[in-house]
Amino acid sequence: MTEHTDSKTVSRPTLSRRGFVGAGGLALAGVAAISGRVQAAGIPEAATQASPKMQPPLFPHTGPDYNPVVTLNGWTMPWRMNGDWKEFHLVAEPVVREIAPGMKANLWGYNGQSPGPTIEAVEGDKVRIFVTNKLPEHTTVHWHGMVLPNGMDGVGGLTQPQIKPGKTFVYEFLLKKSGTFMYHPHADEMVQMAMGMMGFFVVHPRDPQERRVDRDFVFLLNAYDIGPGSYVPKVNTMLDFNLWTWNSRAFPGIDPLVVAKDDRVRVRFGNLTMTNHPIHMHGYDFKVTCTDGGWVPESAQWPEVSVDCAVGQMRAFEFKATEPGDWAIHCHKSHHTMNAMGHTVKTYIGVDMKQITQKIRKTAPGFMPMGGSGMADMGEMEMELPDNTLPMMTGSGQFGPMEMGGMFSVVKVREGLAAHDYKDPGPYKNPEGTIAYEYKGRLAEAPRQTGQIDSGAPTVVEVNVVKPDMKNMKH
């Protein structure tokens, strides 16, 4: 919906809103000298979103045209035009985020969610971003990857005063280049990012036809350490996380990437975890077209099926969706596609646990031995779980348990989808004769390597060993 007044145009999606009092009721301070400060006297309302479902893309109503992004399990922040400034309002605050059905986390985020809303604008736009702090401690916002005035960079104590609880600061800068960016705090950074404070910032090219694609997906890689029955992340964890997430969601809670056949598709992601992630997509090769440093010239783009994303980096790849199907996309670190892992559990593969099982059942009648033949059984069993946690291996497909979790989703390529239709189309109907099947014929014994070389005679190797002269050695 678009509202027009004599002085401004306000772009507003259908969202619940959190009302704010006028400038007299808020402490308003700029992080640097702000041109046109008189125009910033009225603070735009702050949109909020609580649903974990992916919201429809937000199309521009003013300025240059562009094809908007869609955020997995997220949304795009609305803006208003105030003169020639595009204005946004971020609210840093505690939020409750559903990680997946059956588990919620008490996090910190922006405007009702973690991550916060995606900010979209156009190269050459002048943006004014109000940041209101509703956290119990001070904060700032750093615009990761942006080229901007030093005083707008968002490093507390270095480039600006901290934003104290209850205060509102203003960031103003010109978007000098298009590309893929992020925002996150640079104040008590370890705690605030571990609590989920981050968001995506997409700047579209000024020319609507430059690098245009049909579908443009964005998500952030983040991770948490939340014990069963708990709700708050352990912020001091460095590497031993038990929930690996995209946009603070773990499979099976992550949205699919729904694509029409023959669409030109871009997938953008940024890494704000504590380790790197090789993101792999099945069924396609693709070209890496954008990094955190900017767009990759066509002559320098390189083909991949997996692209590694280090801590603090952003990547984007593109492909043409020529092959229909349900194609997995995931981090290729296998522990990152599991949920709520107990990292101290011992390995029992090959262990005969019959006798110990009989002894344990005398005191715990319901005891079930697990792990002696691998962990696949866990994907089929529906065991009772502790409160507020997720199965380690979960998810069901049309052929049975998927045994996945964490950083996993599905690219669903279908014929006949309308533009901007992102509804889950359900399982792919494979053409007859194109599904792997069980062989039921006679199996001949497979030939085996004997370990012999040529005639079977062992190879003789002569070795001369010279002992050191200990008397002549100097210390």
Side-chain angles (χ1 to χ4, degrees):
M1 178 175 71
T2 303
E3 297 181 12
H4 297 278
T5 69
D6 292 338
S7 61
K8 54 184 175 284
T9 301
V10 184
S11 175
R12 300 174 182 235
T14 304
L15 294 168
S16 61
R17 293 188 172 274
R18 185 179 287 109
F20 284 91
V21 296
L26 288 172
L28 177 62
V31 298
I34 298 178
S35 60
R37 184 185 296 261
V38 66
Q39 293 183 346
I43 299 177
E45 293 182 2
T48 185
Q49 178 63 251
S51 172
K53 296 180 180 179
M54 182 173 69
Q55 300 301 306
L58 184 61
F59 289 88
H61 298 289
T62 61
D65 183 36
Y66 58 83
N67 191 41
V69 301
V70 286
T71 305
L72 296 188
N73 300 100
W75 59 299
T76 293
M77 171 178 280
W79 69 90
R80 77 177 184 190
M81 291 305 299
N82 189 354
D84 57 353
W85 291 87
K86 185 171 283 187
E87 294 185 335
F88 303 85
H89 192 173
L90 281 174
V91 179
E93 60 185 349
V95 302
V96 177
R97 178 64 157 169
E98 183 188 68
I99 303 296
M103 182 179 184
K104 294 182 178 180
N106 294 336
L107 306 176
W108 290 356
Y110 301 93
N111 300 64
Q113 282 199 350
S114 167
T118 296
I119 297 175
E120 280 187 273
V122 177
E123 180 184 14
D125 278 352
K126 293 194 297 184
V127 296
R128 178 183 289 132
I129 304 173
F130 296 83
V131 178
T132 298
N133 183 8
K134 289 194 168 186
L135 297 172
E137 68 170 2
H138 64 238
T139 190
T140 66
V141 179
H142 167 59
W143 313 100
H144 189 113
M146 293 284 189
V147 178
L148 39 60
N150 180 248
M152 298 290 170
D153 192 46
V155 182
L158 177 66
T159 67
Q160 69 165 87
Q162 308 283 3
I163 308 174
K164 300 295 184 182
K167 304 296 183 181
T168 295
F169 273 50
V170 182
Y171 295 87
E172 268 191 351
F173 47 92
L174 174 71
L175 300 179
K176 295 184 178 181
K177 65 177 186 177
S178 63
T180 303
F181 309 100
M182 303 182 284
Y183 63 88
H184 61 80
H186 234 296
D188 195 12
E189 185 173 344
M190 182 196 76
V191 169
Q192 293 188 14
M193 290 179 66
M195 288 292 289
M197 297 189 70
M198 57 195 69
F200 229 96
F201 200 136
V202 173
V203 181
H204 296 279
R206 196 74 182 173
D207 180 354
Q209 298 308 313
E210 182 182 345
R211 302 183 182 277
R212 195 174 183 94
V213 294
D214 300 300
R215 306 207 180 207
D216 201 341
F217 297 92
V218 302
F219 58 92
L220 286 169
L221 313 175
N222 49 359
Y224 300 100
D225 183 10
I226 304 176
S230 299
Y231 289 81
V232 179
K234 300 175 185 177
V235 297
N236 291 321
T237 297
M238 182 176 291
L239 291 174
D240 201 24
F241 297 96
N242 64 356
L243 290 168
W244 299 96
T245 62
W246 290 354
N247 278 2
S248 299
R249 295 278 287 184
F251 182 80
I254 298 175
D255 288 322
L257 289 72
V258 178
V259 172
K261 185 178 181 296
D262 295 325
D263 273 354
R264 181 77 182 171
V265 182
R266 179 183 296 130
V267 179
R268 316 185 197 218
F269 48 91
N271 180 7
L272 288 174
T273 73
M274 298 288 281
T275 187
N276 66 307
H277 298 278
I279 302 302
H280 173 58
M281 188 176 80
H282 296 204
Y284 286 86
D285 50 32
F286 50 74
K287 286 189 176 180
V288 179
T289 58
C290 191
T291 74
D292 27 359
W295 298 105
V296 180
E298 187 173 357
S299 60
Q301 295 172 7
W302 67 97
E304 291 282 6
V305 296
S306 300
V307 57
D308 198 26
C309 191
V311 179
Q313 287 186 333
M314 290 159 280
R315 292 289 182 266
F317 64 78
E318 296 177 23
F319 63 96
K320 187 172 182 181
T322 56
E323 305 300 323
D326 286 344
W327 303 107
I329 181 170
H330 57 91
C331 176
H332 219 295
K333 290 186 175 181
S334 56
H335 283 199
H336 296 180
T337 54
M338 303 181 80
N339 295 324
M341 290 188 65
H343 296 147
T344 59
V345 175
K346 298 183 183 298
T347 299
Y348 291 103
I349 294 175
V351 176
D352 185 349
M353 294 186 284
K354 293 179 180 178
Q355 292 185 359
I356 190 66
T357 297
Q358 293 175 358
K359 293 179 181 180
I360 293 175
R361 282 179 176 170
K362 291 179 180 179
T363 55
F367 172 76
M368 293 185 297
M370 300 183 70
S373 57
M375 299 173 66
D377 289 347
M378 297 185 67
E380 300 180 2
M381 301 173 68
E382 295 184 1
M383 299 176 62
E384 185 176 353
L385 295 172
D387 290 340
N388 202 51
T389 192
L390 298 172
M392 187 163 62
M393 301 163 65
T394 187
S396 296
Q398 60 179 317
F399 300 106
M402 293 173 61
E403 301 166 359
M404 286 283 120
M407 294 177 166
F408 180 93
S409 188
V410 181
V411 178
K412 297 194 170 189
V413 182
R414 299 290 190 276
E415 295 189 75
L417 290 184
H420 314 300
D421 180 2
Y422 294 95
K423 296 188 298 293
D424 188 343
Y428 178 62
K429 296 180 180 179
N430 295 272
E432 186 176 355
T434 64
I435 302 174
Y437 59 93
E438 179 185 0
Y439 175 71
K440 297 183 178 180
R442 180 176 177 274
L443 293 176
E445 185 174 347
R448 298 183 180 276
Q449 175 61 262
T450 62
Q452 301 291 330
I453 300 177
D454 296 330
S455 63
T459 301
V460 177
V461 178
E462 294 185 1
V463 178
N464 293 323
V465 178
V466 179
K467 294 183 179 181
D469 186 351
M470 302 300 293
K471 293 181 181 181
N472 295 326
M473 289 186 68
K474 295 181 180 181
H475 296 278

